[in-house]
């Protein structure tokens, strides 16, 4: 059996070993066994932390053909491709034939016999994966640090040595320190590699230092040099859903069960990294000889070529051995690999939840300028989640419209920064006229390049989308603008985005928490509107905000909040028959008194509020108390709404 | 010099193909066994190496290839110096079987100058040698060589196809196949009891279009083995078919003239696949897939035959392209100069080729995934047969080609490129242009499915079942759901164009209006998701252009292109329009034509046309005052022109019922919505799929007609409706209402899978229609149903009342004598004092205006309180 060291550094060796062993026994099912082998290995304690992550480590530090992991988001699915699963090579000198395995590889060995009868054609699928859009800096920081606790020291000493030692000649030490770049024969740009670090650095400013702060510092030092010479890879559009995103994108080759993956899934992929320069060279050569009338080549446009076969140094290939679907991307929680573990963890946090909730409520009240009711609703919004769909109706969504936001001192942006620190992924969308008229929100299929051009609404589940309507000024929306506003409206009402496939539209369900900050009532629909009642005089706002920011530095508390919010979302929930009955009675009574006061829609909302309220307290079933409390805060909110009824003409 | 020549020659994969397999009769040639050969697991076409570097030799070949010469002969007689002669014969393309068959088989005189056209769609077929099944593999060559004993056992290398038998079988098929039940429109006008394909041959002889489409299903039903061979070895079998057809044709019609020899184009391979299910096993097989064309390339001229001329002695030679490569002759055969031959482009032969990209149809796709695309090559006359946006069924050969070897590299990308060589296109949406025959749509239901659907239809409460399966998350509103259900099924299409009346609308239009927040939009969303050809738009965001069609200039071609909008796109489907009331008048006016004539006329930028828009409209409107005012009529509440309203068959009000029992049920329903388990959800989802199929089946196969009783019942119902009103001097029904009733009754019969509209259908139609009327056309003043609210915008009582007041006012003014001017307020007070019923200010104003219209008086100055009335001199 190969040693631990081997299966990470030389997974292909393991695969080939199994392949060779299977030759005597054709029905051994070696492919399944190979996958099984890696799965078992990864199950071992902490084994998965040994695997280097593409998210954290610049690509040029990674050894080609080694096992890596990648926390990613499926942005596009390419067409399936056929490859040589098994092929035969002929040694030109000795004429000896060897049977070889083509699985998990991009490039064949020399001297392929194309007419061998032993050739087996197999099929695999390619996904274009990007890092999870809108993933907040703290997630990256923590996951790169805490998943490799024993490496922190090493990291500081220079991770480069560690990888360089174990790898072969190709891995050049950090290119930023190598003056003679032109020596290399192929295009192996490191521009992209250094960008994640750069970004991390950029975000590090307002960032609260984490417990693993020591490591962050060193990293920053290390990246200072390369950060000056980035930004030349822009000729290749890596198609990130959100503008300004950076990070490695990857072509993930999937060998089995590809139907189980869906667009916009979050995955942690364990696979074999392939950055063979041959791939880039092939692409180069194509450009030069594009005038050739070769039937196999004129079928692809140059754009398509560029998209589907980008240089491997920019977009590495990852041959998937094993992938797990991520329920969340909060690094502070155990990922849901083994459900028993997970439920134990959930149970342990349940008891603490009410107290954390109090703290969070106090904190948010402070942030929301002393408005406790708004803070309560904000918590409910942050833990909301579409848990089921009844025909077209998504249940559990809770889009919050926070009206009455002060427009001074860029309050809305400050508020976003607070939210950004609490949730794993989020995105700020300033709804300025320019943005609405120019941004591409809805993904669109580009048939020339044959890819899905991403848009800002292509987000992973449970991403917080923060719409800042205070940025909107008077003016005219053009066609794109109208389409964008409609798309946002659809997203909020139905939790779906209609991707534009030119000849038709395709509906992709999504699960995005939308928070709208506005002055008056928003022009977009929402499930719930709360008008902010500030306890702070506008003149003191500036001062107040500056002190507010200080509070967030307490990192352990922040981590508690982060865990709390993610856990509350993962809990199960039920309503007992008893409570059902009393809720029904309540509804009938309320209607009896004043039928205008409560409609079916109100009941819908109250049920959601009650659900979220229970979950926020760590209760997994609805109690009478929670129901009454839900009724109570709804009544408070409604009474507040009355006062602001006629703010603008957007009422239906 | 052709560049590809170079690359072929410099190919590093220089393992000679022949040698490996121990074919020692073959001289080891520096081969071009490069990765252009198909990666199929079968071995085939190995000795292509011989053809690559050796030019097609000598003069016979040259003049044979001149357009007048039959190609078969030329190929047969091409001796290759490097290869033993006996093998050469066998490896030539159209040389099949025994010598005798060669002599007789070639349509001797028959070809009569008819050139064979190359079939690039089949790829290079000419290198397929035959082997004797019963001989030992090593002696293969010998067995083939000995022509004398090569009898029926000869098969093409790598297949089990024996050319002679195959040809014979196909000819028998052509001569005998009869399909008395054929419904295909291609066969229209043919005698179904005569051999089908012989009639087609006759057609070819008359029309002169040398293409023979063969339905694979026919082949299968005639000879399953032949069909299997056709599917598995199309590259070998189709040329055999070609040969068979040509022999037969020229035998029967020896005098006819064709531009080319007839080509056989099989279609409808039963192994029809969705793009998603294509896998490596399908390589080199005949497949039929459906999809949507998303891109077509420009025409690519592909060299079929290169013309070389010696620079020294002007000796010329021709080389055929083999799998995309041309082997440049290294030595001039005439003067023996090396490297003296140059390619003469304009004397080479090219064929047309086009790259087409096909994308999966949205219906075949699993949720949450992106559609796959496939590349298709069309050759010769199939070029430009399809346009982007067309839905097509493509029959062709699935190919996989390895990535090209890079001369600078020794290893290869281990990925194949796949494409389909198209043999036959069939547009699936072409039908919609011509007629209403949807049978060709062939939405396939499995026997089981049909059985389940029929069982469901046989249940007495199927109507209720289906309506409750519709949008289960929306509570109650039973009648509205029933209305929508009938809309989904639609009436029967009737064509009266011969009598000049044109098409009768078969679609049911429904308007939902009511309080905001009564899940109208949700219903619309549900319907939109349920029907395959549904469109959802919001009145607020759509313009008339977005609904109908607009003309656009294509940025590339500068051509004017007609882009269709939601209404046209939902032809044969349902167009859901939300916020109908917020639509601009301009936009709404477009709907007038669509909702009655079911067409859209466009006259824009020089394009004048009429498009079909046979769409049912499901619209939702909010009341103007945000809350429904029960004291007002429908028209007043939603402020839509009555001309438009009268085009809706059913207008429903969705109001809050406000009663306790209802509240309780509603609460229960909603709460259960929030805690139901996954399994219950599953069940429901299944229901939706069944519902979808049920509707699709009924729409396709059931065309109910009115029975005698039903028409009597309809007449009675109509007469009754007219009677109701006539007693009070109102008209309560118009012919439009009768038409609505008919449509609804037909739809209801469809729900029952009944081919006949019976009395119960009429009863339900009447009931539903009455319900809808009761809700929307009840005169709030009298409580009676008054259709004129919808047809004229004003109830008959209101109109009567207005006239009465005007008369009273006139009398009052006359009684006052000859005053030249009067005060508004005083007049109102006087009138109020005189009248026993309350007179509102609006009523008074209207009466004044009515009198002004009669020129009885003029209103001079108008302020809220004070109006001078100028009486006209009488």
């Amino acid at each position: 059996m190969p040693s631990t060291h081997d299966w990470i550094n030389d997974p292909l060796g393991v695969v080939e070993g199994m392949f060779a062993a299977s030759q005597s026994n054709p029905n051994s099912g070696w492919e399944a066994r190979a996958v099984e082998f890696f799965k078992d290995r990864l199950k071992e304690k902490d084994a998965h932390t040994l695997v280097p992550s593409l998210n954290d480590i610049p690509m040029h530090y990674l050894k080609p053909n080694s096992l890596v992991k990648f926390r990613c988001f499926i942005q596009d699915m390419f067409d399936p491709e056929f490859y040589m699963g098994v092929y035969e090579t002929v040694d030109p000198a000795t004429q000896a034939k060897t049977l070889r395995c083509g699985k998990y590889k991009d490039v064949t060995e020399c001297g392929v016999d194309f007419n061998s009868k032993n050739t087996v054609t197999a099929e695999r699928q390619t996904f274009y994966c990007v890092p999870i859009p809108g993933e907040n800096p703290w997630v990256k920081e923590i996951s790169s640090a805490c998943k490799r606790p024993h490496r922190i020291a090493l990291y500081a000493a220079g991770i480069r040595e560690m990888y360089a030692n174990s790898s072969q000649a190709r891995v050049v030490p950090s290119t930023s320190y190598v003056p003679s770049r032109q020596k290399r024969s192929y295009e192996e740009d490191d521009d992209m590699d250094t960008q994640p670090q750069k970004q991390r650095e950029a975000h590090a400013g307002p960032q609260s230092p984490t417990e693993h702060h020591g490591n962050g510092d060193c990293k920053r030092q290390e990246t200072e040099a390369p950060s000056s010479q980035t930004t030349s890879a822009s000729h290749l559009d890596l198609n990130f859903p959100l503008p300004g995103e950076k990070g490695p994108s990857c072509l993930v080759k999937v060998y089995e069960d590809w139907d189980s993956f869906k667009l916009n899934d979050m995955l942690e992929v364990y696979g074999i990294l392939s950055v063979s320069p041959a791939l880039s060279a092939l692409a180069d050569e194509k450009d030069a000889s594009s005038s050739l009338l070769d039937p196999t080549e004129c079928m692809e446009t140059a754009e398509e070529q560029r998209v589907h076969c980008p240089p491997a140094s920019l977009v590495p290939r990852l041959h998937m051995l094993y992938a797990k679907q991520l329920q969340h991307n909060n690094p502070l929680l155990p990922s849901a690999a083994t459900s028993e573990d997970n439920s134990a963890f959930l149970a342990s946090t349940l008891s603490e939840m009410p107290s954390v909730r109090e703290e969070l409520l106090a904190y948010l009240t402070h942030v929301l300028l002393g408005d406790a009711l708004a803070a309560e609703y904000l918590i409910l919004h942050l833990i909301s989640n579409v848990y089921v769909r009844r025909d077209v109706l998504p249940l559990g969504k809770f889009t919050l419209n926070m009206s009455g936001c002060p427009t001074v001192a860029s309050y809305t942006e400050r508020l976003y920064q607070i939210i950004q620190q609490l949730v794993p992924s989020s995105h700020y969308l300033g709804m300025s006229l320019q943005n609405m008229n120019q941004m591409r929100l809805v993904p669109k299929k580009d048939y020339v390049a044959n890819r899905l051009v991403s848009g800002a609404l292509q987000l992973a589940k449970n991403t917080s989308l923060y719409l800042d309507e205070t940025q909107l000024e008077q003016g005219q929306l053009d066609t794109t603008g109208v389409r964008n506003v409609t798309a946002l409206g659809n997203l909020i009402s139905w939790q779906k985005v209609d991707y534009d496939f030119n000849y038709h539209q395709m509906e992709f369900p999504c699960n995005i928490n939308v928070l709208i900050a506005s002055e008056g009532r928003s022009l977009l629909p929402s499930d719930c509107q709360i008008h902010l009642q500030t306890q702070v005089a506008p003149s003191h706002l500036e001062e107040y905000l500056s002190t507010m920011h200080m509070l967030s530095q307490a990192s352990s508390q922040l981590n508690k909040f982060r865990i709390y919010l993610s856990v509350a979302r993962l809990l199960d929930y039920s309503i007992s028959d008893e409570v059902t009955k009393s809720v029904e009675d309540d509804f009938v009574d309320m209607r009896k008194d004043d039928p205008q006061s409560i409609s079916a829609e109100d009941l819908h909302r109250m049920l959601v509020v009650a659900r979220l309220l229970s979950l926020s307290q760590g209760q997994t079933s609805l109690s009478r108390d929670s129901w009454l409390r839900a009724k109570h805060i709804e009544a408070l909110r409604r009474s507040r709404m009355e006062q602001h009824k006629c703010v603008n003409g957007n009422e239906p | 010099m052709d560049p590809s020549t170079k690359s072929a020659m410099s190919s590093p994969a220089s393992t000679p193909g022949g040698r490996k397999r121990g074919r020692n009769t073959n001289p080891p040639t520096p081969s071009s066994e490069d990765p252009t050969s198909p990666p199929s697991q079968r071995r085939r076409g190995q000795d292509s190496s011989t053809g690559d570097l050796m030019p097609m030799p000598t003069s016979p070949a040259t003049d044979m290839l001149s357009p007048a010469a039959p190609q078969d002969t030329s190929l047969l007689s091409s001796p290759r110096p490097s290869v033993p002669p006996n093998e050469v014969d066998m490896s030539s393309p159209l040389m099949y079987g025994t010598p005798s068959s060669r002599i007789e088989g070639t349509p001797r005189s028959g070809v009569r100058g008819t050139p064979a056209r190359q079939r690039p769609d089949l790829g290079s077929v000419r290198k397929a040698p035959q082997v004797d099944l019963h001989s030992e593999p090593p002696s293969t060559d010998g067995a083939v060589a000995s022509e004398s004993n090569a009898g029926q056992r000869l098969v093409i290398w790598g297949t089990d196809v024996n050319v002679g038998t195959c040809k014979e079988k196909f000819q028998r098929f052509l001569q005998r196949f009869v399909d008395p039940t054929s419904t295909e429109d291609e066969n229209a006008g043919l005698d179904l009891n005569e051999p089908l394909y012989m009639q087609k041959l006759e057609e070819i002889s008359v029309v002169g279009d040398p293409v023979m489409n063969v339905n694979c299903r026919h082949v299968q039903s005639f000879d399953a083995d032949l069909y299997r061979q056709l599917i598995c070895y199309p590259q070998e079998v189709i040329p055999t078919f070609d040969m068979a057809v040509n022999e037969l044709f020229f035998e029967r019609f020896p005098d006819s003239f064709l531009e080319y020899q007839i080509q056989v184009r099989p279609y409808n391979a039963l192994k029809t696949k969705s793009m998603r299910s294509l896998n490596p096993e399908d390589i080199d097989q005949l497949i039929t897939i459906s999809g949507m064309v998303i891109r077509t390339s420009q025409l690519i001229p592909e060299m079929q035959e290169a013309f070389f001329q010696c620079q020294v002695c002007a000796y010329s030679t021709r080389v055929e392209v083999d799998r995309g490569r041309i082997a440049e002759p290294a030595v001039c055969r005439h003067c023996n100069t090396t490297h003296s031959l140059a390619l003469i482009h304009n004397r080479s032969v090219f064929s047309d080729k086009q790259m087409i990209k096909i994308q999966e149809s949205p219906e075949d796709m699993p949720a949450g995934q992106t559609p796959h695309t496939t590349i298709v090559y069309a050759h010769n006359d199939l070029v430009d047969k399809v346009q982007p946006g067309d839905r097509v069924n493509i029959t062709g050969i699935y190919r996989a080609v390895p990535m090209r070897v890079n001369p600078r590299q020794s290893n290869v990308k281990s990925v194949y490129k796949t494409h389909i060589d198209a043999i036959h296109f069939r547009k699936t949406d072409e039908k919609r242009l011509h007629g209403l025959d949807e049978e060709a749509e062939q939405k396939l239901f499995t026997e089981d499915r049909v059985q389940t659907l029929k069982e469901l239809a046989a249940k007495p409460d199927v109507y209720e079942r289906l309506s409750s399966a519709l949008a289960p998350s929306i509570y109650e509103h039973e009648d509205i759901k029933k209305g929508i259900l009938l809309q989904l099924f639609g009436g029967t299409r009737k064509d009266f164009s011969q009598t000049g009346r044109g098409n009768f609308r078969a679609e049911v239009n429904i308007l939902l209006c009511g309080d905001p927040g009564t899940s109208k939009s949700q219903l619309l969303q549900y319907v939109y998701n349920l029907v395959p050809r549904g469109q959802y738009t919001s009145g607020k965001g759509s313009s008339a252009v977005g609904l109908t069609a607009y003309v656009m200039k294509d940025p590339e071609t500068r051509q004017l292109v007609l882009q269709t909008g939601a209404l046209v796109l939902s032809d044969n489907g349902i167009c859901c329009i939300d916020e109908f009331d917020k639509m601009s008048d301009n936009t709404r006016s477009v709907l007038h034509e669509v909702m009655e004539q079911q067409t859209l006329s466009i006259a824009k930028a020089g394009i004048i046309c009429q498009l079909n828009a046979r769409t049912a409209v499901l619209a939702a409107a909010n009341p103007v005052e945000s809350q429904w005012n029960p004291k007002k009529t429908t028209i007043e509440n939603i402020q839509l022109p009555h001309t438009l309203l009268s085009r809706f068959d059913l207008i429903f009000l969705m109001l809050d019922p406000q009663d306790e029992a209802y509240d309780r049920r509603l609460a229960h329903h909603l709460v259960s919505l929030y805690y139901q388990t996954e399994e219950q959800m599953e069940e429901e989802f299944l229901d939706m799929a069944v519902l979808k199929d049920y509707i699709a089946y009924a729409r396709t196969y059931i065309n109910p007609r009115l029975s005698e009783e039903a028409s009597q019942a309809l007449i009675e119902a109509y007469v009754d409706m007219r009677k109701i009103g006539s007693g009070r001097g109102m008209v309560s029904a118009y012919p439009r209402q009768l038409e609505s009733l008919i449509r609804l009754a037909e739809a209801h019969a469809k729900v029952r899978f009944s081919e006949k509209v019976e009395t119960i259908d009429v009863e339900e139609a009447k009931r539903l229609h009455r319900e809808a009327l009761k809700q929307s056309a009840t005169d709030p003043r009298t409580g009676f149903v008054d259709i004129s609210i919808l047809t004229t915008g004003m109830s008959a009582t209101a109109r009567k009342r207005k006239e009465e007041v005007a008369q009273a006012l006139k009398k009052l003014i006359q009684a006052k004598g000859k005053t030249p001017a009067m005060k508004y307020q005083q007049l109102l007070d006087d009138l109020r004092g005189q009248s026993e019923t309350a007179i509102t200010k609006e009523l008074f104003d209207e009466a004044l205006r009515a009198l002004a219209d009669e020129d009885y008086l003029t209103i001079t100055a108008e302020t809220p309180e004070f109006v001078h009335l100028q009486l006209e001199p009488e």
Side-chain angles (χ1 to χ4, degrees), chain B residues 734-870:
Chain B
Y734 289 95
R736 265 206 180 129
Q737 271 71 45
L738 178 59
E739 282 176 26
S740 294
L741 274 186
I742 296 173
R743 278 191 285 272
L744 290 172
E746 282 166 350
H748 189 260
K750 271 194 193 174
V751 174
R752 297 186 299 117
F753 276 13
S754 159
E755 286 289 353
K756 230 182 192 176
V757 181
E758 288 171 45
T759 336
I760 47 162
D761 302 317
V762 180
E763 286 304 317
E764 173 57 23
K766 250 166 73 183
R767 190 194 65 78
L768 205 60
H769 193 254
R770 206 173 43 232
E771 277 307 315
L773 271 186
K774 218 191 278 171
Q775 288 181 8
S776 58
T778 303
D779 186 343
R781 271 165 277 244
T782 62
F784 289 116
V785 171
D786 183 357
I787 192 70
S788 55
I789 291 176
L790 299 181
T791 49
T792 64
M794 192 185 236
S795 73
T797 39
R799 201 176 312 119
K800 218 162 113 195
R801 180 103 186 94
K802 197 174 88 180
E803 271 162 33
E804 280 169 10
V805 174
Q807 285 312 312
L809 186 65
K810 199 170 174 182
K811 251 187 225 154
L812 184 80
I813 294 170
Q814 277 168 348
K816 290 209 167 195
K818 297 229 179 287
T819 28
M822 262 173 278
K823 279 181 187 142
Y824 176 91
Q825 195 57 42
Q826 199 194 345
L827 201 59
L828 177 60
D829 289 344
D830 287 354
L831 189 66
R832 273 184 178 155
Q834 209 180 47
S835 168
E836 59 266 35
T837 52
I839 290 172
T840 58
K841 212 168 154 207
E842 290 83 43
L843 208 56
F844 179 69
D845 282 343
E846 273 181 30
L848 274 182
R849 231 169 286 137
L851 291 181
D853 286 348
E854 286 174 29
D855 285 343
Y856 181 69
L857 48 79
T858 38
I859 303 168
T860 46
E862 199 168 339
T863 55
E865 276 95 40
F866 200 78
V867 177
H868 284 283
L869 300 174
Q870 187 75 50

Side-chain angles (χ1 to χ4, degrees), chain B residues 673-684:
Chain B
L673 202 66
Y674 277 82
Y675 74 86
Q676 259 189 355
T677 53
E678 289 287 318
E679 293 90 73
Q680 281 161 305
M681 300 289 307
E682 275 309 285
E683 229 163 73
E684 212 142 81

Side-chain angles (χ1 to χ4, degrees), chain B residues 637-791:
Chain B
N637 259 313
I638 51 179
Q639 297 274 319
L640 283 174
H642 55 84
T643 43
L644 198 54
L645 276 189
S646 66
R647 284 172 160 85
F648 284 102
D649 298 82
L650 299 171
I651 299 176
F652 286 108
L653 291 188
M654 287 183 91
L655 297 178
D656 232 345
Q658 302 180 356
D659 104 75
E660 189 179 325
Y662 170 83
D663 289 347
R664 182 166 297 277
R665 287 194 309 255
L666 176 68
H668 182 75
H669 179 79
L670 289 183
V671 178
S672 66
L673 202 66
Y674 277 82
Y675 74 86
Q676 259 189 355
T677 53
E678 289 287 318
E679 293 90 73
Q680 281 161 305
M681 300 289 307
E682 275 309 285
E683 229 163 73
E684 212 142 81
F685 189 68
L686 218 119
D687 265 355
M688 188 161 165
V690 171
L691 184 63
K692 257 189 190 168
D693 280 3
Y694 195 95
I695 292 169
Y697 186 87
R699 283 185 75 108
T700 323
Y701 297 104
I702 315 284
N703 289 304
R705 302 187 69 88
L706 288 178
S707 69
E708 193 52 45
E709 309 93 77
S711 23
Q712 280 306 323
L714 279 168
I715 293 168
E716 261 170 50
Y718 181 60
V719 171
D720 280 352
M721 278 162 70
R722 300 233 357 149
K723 258 191 215 152
I724 296 174
S726 65
R728 295 192 303 275
M730 321 184 272
V731 182
S732 53
Y734 289 95
R736 265 206 180 129
Q737 271 71 45
L738 178 59
E739 282 176 26
S740 294
L741 274 186
I742 296 173
R743 278 191 285 272
L744 290 172
E746 282 166 350
H748 189 260
K750 271 194 193 174
V751 174
R752 297 186 299 117
F753 276 13
S754 159
E755 286 289 353
K756 230 182 192 176
V757 181
E758 288 171 45
T759 336
I760 47 162
D761 302 317
V762 180
E763 286 304 317
E764 173 57 23
K766 250 166 73 183
R767 190 194 65 78
L768 205 60
H769 193 254
R770 206 173 43 232
E771 277 307 315
L773 271 186
K774 218 191 278 171
Q775 288 181 8
S776 58
T778 303
D779 186 343
R781 271 165 277 244
T782 62
F784 289 116
V785 171
D786 183 357
I787 192 70
S788 55
I789 291 176
L790 299 181
T791 49

Side-chain angles (χ1 to χ4, degrees), chain B residues 185-209:
Chain B
D185 53 2
E186 278 104 332
N187 301 344
L190 298 183
D191 184 351
L192 293 181
N193 294 315
E194 291 291 307
L196 183 65
Y197 291 99
M198 294 315 280
Q199 297 181 61
K200 288 207 173 171
L201 275 185
E202 211 169 310
E203 207 174 273
I204 291 171
S205 79
V206 175
V207 180
D209 182 21

